[in-house]
């Protein structure tokens, strides 16, 4: 899944003098306070940490009314930082005709609204259960409890809420996608082929309409270079 990364960081934890009796325990508490909150400095939500080194001997006392002291440490951080167009995975917890609600990594909520669900999926009620079923592949079904893969549209850092999309062809039920990965790859190749053919048609049409296309420009430059060589010889 996209959006997860391990970051190595050199931090300085500032502690109250009353914590000097057990510095290690105090540092663990400070790091734990970062969990499942978004950090602008780290550009992500801290999910876990692992301390590599801790140097109490290099602790520095800060001058002030209360002399806090800073302890430098090196730590590995597991961060969750979803960006637009990344692919995330989550479990469907609620489904209606207007939206699909998902939980990602057990803590972050996501919503996919009707306008961001591709036309292939049709909302229906089957055996008193709401589902989204594919018109192209009858076994491709999304319902409550389904693990799905979706694309990120945006991420609200304050409430850790994700706005997602099921518009790309390679999104939907993970169980179905993994069983039919060859079919998805073939679909993607056909889409790219159609896009390439469309660009070629545009170039030809520009030439017919009397416009200077990139292909015409390249050919004229080639002819001009050849003519120049012949004149010099």
């Amino acid at each position: 899944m996209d959006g997860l990364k391990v970051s190595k960081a050199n931090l300085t934890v500032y502690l109250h003098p009353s914590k000097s009796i057990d510095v290690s325990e105090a540092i663990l508490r400070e790091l734990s306070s970062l969990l499942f909150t978004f950090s602008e400095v780290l550009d992500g939500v801290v999910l876990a940490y692992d301390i590599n080194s801790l140097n109490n001997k290099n602790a520095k006392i800060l001058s002030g009314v209360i002399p806090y002291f800073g302890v430098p440490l090196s730590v590995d951080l597991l961060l969750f930082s979803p960006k637009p167009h990344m692919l995330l995975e989550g479990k469907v917890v609620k489904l209606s005709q207007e939206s699909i609600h998902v939980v990602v990594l057990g803590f972050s909520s996501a919503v996919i609204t009707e306008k961001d669900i591709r036309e292939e999926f049709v909302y229906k009620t089957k055996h008193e259960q709401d589902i989204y079923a594919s018109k192209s592949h009858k076994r491709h079904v999304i319902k409550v409890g389904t693990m799905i893969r979706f694309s990120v549209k945006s991420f609200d850092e304050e409430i850790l809420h994700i706005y997602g999309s099921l518009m790309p062809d390679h999104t939907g039920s993970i169980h179905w996608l993994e069983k039919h990965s060859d079919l998805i790859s073939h679909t993607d190749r056909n889409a790219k082929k159609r896009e390439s053919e469309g660009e070629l048609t545009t170039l030809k049409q520009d030439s017919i309409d009397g416009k200077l296309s990139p292909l015409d420009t390249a050919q004229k430059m080639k002819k001009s270079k050849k003519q120049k060589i012949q004149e010099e010889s």
Side-chain angles (χ1 to χ4, degrees):
M1 182 177 76
D2 296 338
L4 291 173
K5 62 180 180 180
V6 175
S7 177
K8 295 183 180 293
N10 294 316
L11 305 176
T12 300
V13 178
Y14 297 99
L15 303 174
H16 190 276
S18 62
K19 306 294 184 182
S20 60
I21 299 175
D22 192 345
V23 173
S24 298
E25 178 65 23
I27 287 175
L28 289 176
R29 288 189 177 185
E30 289 295 324
L31 290 176
S32 296
S33 67
L34 297 176
L35 294 176
F36 303 107
T37 58
F38 184 85
S39 169
E40 291 186 1
V41 175
L42 300 171
D43 188 31
V45 180
V46 181
L47 301 183
Y49 60 85
D50 182 26
I51 299 176
N52 294 323
S53 64
L54 172 64
N55 198 335
N56 294 349
K57 295 180 180 180
N58 289 338
K60 296 180 179 180
I61 297 177
L62 303 179
S63 60
V65 179
I66 301 177
Y68 277 76
F69 63 98
V71 182
L73 67 151
S74 175
V75 60
D76 289 339
L77 300 169
L78 177 61
L79 301 174
F80 178 57
S81 182
K83 305 294 182 185
H85 309 301
M86 281 185 175
L87 293 178
L88 300 185
E89 299 175 359
K91 185 177 182 179
V92 177
V93 293
K94 183 181 178 181
L95 187 149
S96 68
Q97 188 170 358
E98 292 77 27
S99 59
I100 298 174
H101 296 263
V102 183
V103 171
V104 179
L105 296 174
F107 77 94
S108 183
S109 62
V111 64
I112 305 168
T113 59
E114 184 181 9
K115 66 178 182 179
D116 295 313
I117 301 173
R118 61 182 182 274
E119 293 183 357
E120 173 191 344
F121 288 105
V122 178
Y123 174 81
K124 60 177 67 175
T125 301
K126 188 175 182 180
H127 304 304
E128 299 183 352
Q129 184 178 31
D130 297 333
I131 65 171
Y132 270 96
S134 169
K135 294 185 291 185
S136 306
H137 312 283
K138 64 179 182 179
R139 294 187 180 277
H140 194 179
V141 176
I142 296 174
K143 57 186 178 181
V144 172
T146 300
M147 290 295 297
I148 67 170
R149 182 176 298 130
F150 63 95
S151 174
V152 177
K153 289 190 66 180
S154 62
F155 177 51
D156 190 320
E157 299 164 353
E158 292 187 4
I159 59 175
L160 306 183
H161 186 77
I162 303 164
Y163 296 92
S165 169
L166 285 175
M167 296 302 286
D169 291 332
H170 49 284
T171 58
S173 166
I174 294 176
H175 179 72
W176 189 91
L177 292 171
E178 289 180 347
K179 280 192 171 184
H180 301 83
S181 58
D182 294 340
L183 178 61
I184 300 301
S185 299
H186 180 71
T187 302
D188 288 343
R189 285 196 298 270
N190 286 343
K192 290 180 180 178
K193 183 179 179 181
R194 288 194 299 270
E195 183 179 348
S196 177
E197 289 174 348
E199 291 176 354
L200 183 60
T201 301
T202 302
L203 286 173
K204 290 181 178 179
Q205 187 61 46
D206 285 345
S207 180
I208 293 172
D209 294 340
K211 299 177 183 178
L212 190 62
S213 68
L215 184 60
D216 294 331
T217 304
Q219 289 176 341
K220 288 190 176 183
M221 288 177 66
K222 188 175 180 181
K223 289 180 180 179
S224 177
K225 187 176 181 180
K226 185 177 179 181
Q227 184 178 0
K228 185 176 181 181
I229 293 173
Q230 289 176 348
E231 290 176 351
E232 290 178 351
S233 61

